[in-house]
Amino acid sequence: MNIHQVLQLSGEAFAAYGKTSAAQRAIFLETIAAALETRREALTAITHEETNLPAARLNGELTRTTGQLKMFANLLREGSWVTAAIDTADAQRTPPKPDTRKMAVPLGPVVVFGASNFPYAFSTAGGDTASALAAGCTVVIRAHYAHPRTSALVFEAMQEAVKICGLPPYTIQHVTAPGNETGKELVTHPLTAAVGFTGSLSGGKALMQYAAERPIPVPVFAEMSSINPVLLLPGKLKENAAALASKMAASITLGMGQFCTNPGLMIGMAGAELDAFLEQLKTDIAQFSPQPMLHEGIRQHYETCATAIATKQQVRIVADQTAMIATISAQHFLDDPHFREEVFGPFSLLVQCNNKSEMQQVLNSVQGQLTATLMATDEDLLEHADLLESCVRIAGRVIINEVPTGVEVCASMVHGGPFPAASDPRFTSVGTSAIQRWVRPVCFQNFPDHLLPEALQNANPLRIWRTVNNEWTNT
């Protein structure tokens, strides 16, 4: 089946799937979760062979994946995500005020590109797919070449759920054809309504360009590049530099550094406390037991990028056996933009600043990020309020005294940020509000009540929270 046929079938399926009720879609998502659970043992065994990830990590990630499917099912049942708003007519006003009602409706067929570093949670049945299906969109999944058997087995579970729930057979489709041209065809097809992507900056920018050059452009929601700066403020270093170093070492090496929230940049004030931190970090890194990386392509790219950093004269290598820790002065960091590029893997660069002003300059030089972290005492936060403000400006998630690795799946999470962390800083790829990427608002004016969607009918049969004449109500 060629790409044109795939999208044609997705468009036909959307004509029916887009009209399903929230309750139907909630049951569907839960059925997918159940089908994945029945395949847990087979899945984790196959994925371990394909990715080198240990069983404990895979089981945890699979639980996260089924959990986020159930989370979106709960969101659908609660219902307020459609942001229903009603303004009733007022014939006595001059001019007369019409009856207008607004809610979110699904965009159409969505293309999702599976990610390599999270073969469950960000891949075939991951957050992009789950949120798009929840919104009422059909999905075409581009399987990631690094775990093809995993992707096929996950798709099998999803197809089983489609049949059990009596949904159109092409509600979800699975594309395994290799090559960049396949990706381009998926994005540029006229029936593609939106795109979800987690991966490299170059890959995300290519998809964004394809989408922008279409006769009718479509949104690409891409999560791409982030070095996740961590500010090591003086009071916190003085309080316990050794403990802080141990915490950072664990974060840098977690999963062989193959997390998009890996702390690739640390910024601190030069001095005895930072020297003690660096010495302890070196000791802790040396005790780390390396594991094989996800696949050969990632390993080669990591070694190329790490070597490019290591060979620069301005850099001093602190550790380079199991993970690479390098350090550089603030001025040299500011002089060379290559130091602000992501090195995907167990790597972190420590920038040593002479004063608070240099710390601010270094942070200001960094582009959009998924996360920004402050390791700080209360006094540090008071004395460095400008740094906190800059963190809010550049990052989707700002953290105090916790490492950035680890992304909680919940309503308040933001996994996104200004470019190049993500293609659109207004949205998140993790958490319940991820559903907002796949919908658009529609206003229904002067409709008879029986023709309105249930979410906008006078009796509110769904009992969802909505605004009626600017007041929140669920009656």
Side-chain angles (χ1 to χ4, degrees):
M1 191 184 299
N2 61 39
I3 298 302
H4 175 69
Q5 291 171 317
V6 167
L7 267 304
Q8 282 285 122
L9 291 168
S10 189
E12 292 169 10
F14 174 70
Y17 183 71
K19 297 175 184 175
T20 55
S21 69
Q24 286 175 295
R25 297 198 299 276
I27 292 170
F28 177 40
L29 295 176
E30 290 169 339
T31 306
I32 294 174
L36 290 171
E37 283 293 352
T38 64
R39 292 164 172 79
R40 178 180 286 269
E41 187 175 346
L43 265 173
T44 53
I46 288 171
T47 311
H48 172 66
E49 291 176 6
E50 289 190 312
T51 66
N52 298 311
L53 293 172
R57 152 72 192 271
L58 291 173
N59 274 291
E61 187 185 330
L62 185 54
T63 298
R64 167 181 171 161
T65 304
T66 58
Q68 63 191 10
L69 285 161
K70 296 171 186 176
M71 176 189 73
F72 281 111
N74 291 335
L75 180 76
L76 289 172
R77 291 193 175 97
E78 187 276 327
S80 64
W81 70 274
V82 299
T83 61
I86 297 173
D87 290 287
T88 56
D90 182 358
Q92 304 306 312
R93 200 192 71 174
T94 304
K97 177 177 172 289
D99 183 286
T100 54
R101 305 178 183 220
K102 180 209 74 172
M103 67 174 289
V105 301
L107 288 175
V110 169
V111 171
V112 170
F113 289 80
S116 65
N117 60 332
F118 282 87
Y120 305 142
F122 282 86
S123 198
T124 309
D128 287 349
T129 299
S131 56
L133 291 173
C137 297
T138 52
V139 176
V140 176
I141 300 157
R142 169 67 185 281
H144 199 283
Y145 69 88
H147 47 258
R149 290 189 296 147
T150 296
S151 190
L153 188 54
V154 170
F155 178 63
E156 177 189 288
M158 299 171 81
Q159 282 296 86
E160 178 181 289
V162 168
K163 292 177 183 176
I164 291 172
C165 295
L167 296 171
Y170 297 103
T171 297
I172 309 169
Q173 294 180 81
H174 193 235
V175 174
T176 59
N180 294 337
E181 192 59 33
T182 299
K184 182 177 181 180
E185 284 186 66
L186 287 166
V187 174
T188 57
H189 194 279
L191 290 177
T192 296
V195 178
F197 172 82
T198 299
S200 68
L201 178 60
S202 59
K205 287 176 68 175
L207 298 184
M208 291 167 64
Q209 183 174 343
Y210 298 152
E213 292 174 350
R214 291 171 39 137
I216 301 176
V218 294
V220 174
F221 298 104
E223 188 256 285
M224 299 173 289
S225 176
S226 186
I227 56 176
N228 307 297
V230 177
L231 299 169
L232 310 170
L233 296 184
K236 194 67 176 179
L237 280 172
K238 187 174 183 180
E239 185 179 85
N240 198 335
L244 185 54
S246 297
K247 181 183 290 190
M248 290 303 302
S251 181
I252 292 164
T253 57
L254 183 67
M256 281 298 291
Q258 296 167 113
F259 289 174
C260 46
T261 52
N262 187 63
L265 179 68
M266 298 177 287
I267 307 168
M269 206 88 75
E273 287 84 7
L274 192 61
D275 290 343
F277 167 86
L278 200 53
E279 191 61 33
Q280 185 63 48
L281 183 63
K282 177 181 178 180
T283 299
D284 290 335
I285 289 289
Q287 297 173 18
F288 164 62
S289 298
Q291 299 168 344
M293 298 189 81
L294 285 161
H295 59 82
E296 186 61 19
I298 284 182
R299 186 192 66 80
Q300 290 180 357
H301 187 259
Y302 168 69
E303 291 183 354
T304 298
C305 293
T307 300
I309 294 287
T311 54
K312 290 182 177 287
Q313 286 186 334
Q314 311 97 308
V315 170
R316 177 168 69 90
I317 303 301
V318 177
D320 66 351
Q321 295 300 311
T322 57
M324 180 175 286
I325 304 297
T327 186
I328 190 173
S329 72
Q331 193 56 58
H332 284 141
F333 178 86
L334 293 168
D335 288 344
D336 189 342
H338 290 105
F339 291 124
R340 300 189 279 281
E341 295 176 358
E342 182 182 30
V343 178
F344 190 73
F347 170 89
S348 192
L349 177 66
L350 172 63
V351 180
Q352 301 203 35
C353 304
N354 290 316
N355 49 52
K356 177 181 172 182
S357 176
E358 281 195 345
M359 290 189 77
Q360 185 68 65
Q361 290 177 58
V362 168
L363 187 60
N364 286 346
S365 74
V366 174
Q367 293 181 305
Q369 302 293 319
L370 294 173
T371 72
T373 302
L374 299 101
M375 298 296 185
T377 62
D378 290 345
E379 290 76 15
D380 284 330
L381 294 172
L382 288 172
E383 293 175 15
H384 299 83
D386 51 347
L387 292 177
L388 177 56
E389 290 174 6
S390 293
C391 287
V392 172
R393 176 179 56 80
I394 67 169
R397 177 163 58 110
V398 181
I399 306 159
I400 294 177
N401 292 333
E402 289 183 357
V403 294
T405 40
V407 181
E408 186 68 26
V409 182
C410 60
S412 56
M413 179 51 59
V414 173
H415 192 62
F419 187 88
S423 55
D424 192 328
R426 297 170 297 173
F427 298 94
T428 174
S429 64
V430 176
T432 52
S433 57
I435 198 172
Q436 298 299 330
R437 296 172 296 168
W438 318 119
V439 296
R440 63 184 180 89
V442 172
C443 177
F444 299 82
Q445 182 168 332
N446 201 34
F447 267 57
D449 192 69
H450 70 279
L451 288 182
L452 285 165
E454 285 188 317
L456 297 178
Q457 290 176 6
N458 288 330
N460 192 12
L462 302 177
R463 289 293 178 265
I464 65 172
W465 283 97
R466 56 191 192 172
T467 60
V468 178
N469 296 324
N470 297 316
E471 292 187 6
W472 281 102
T473 176
N474 64 346
T475 59

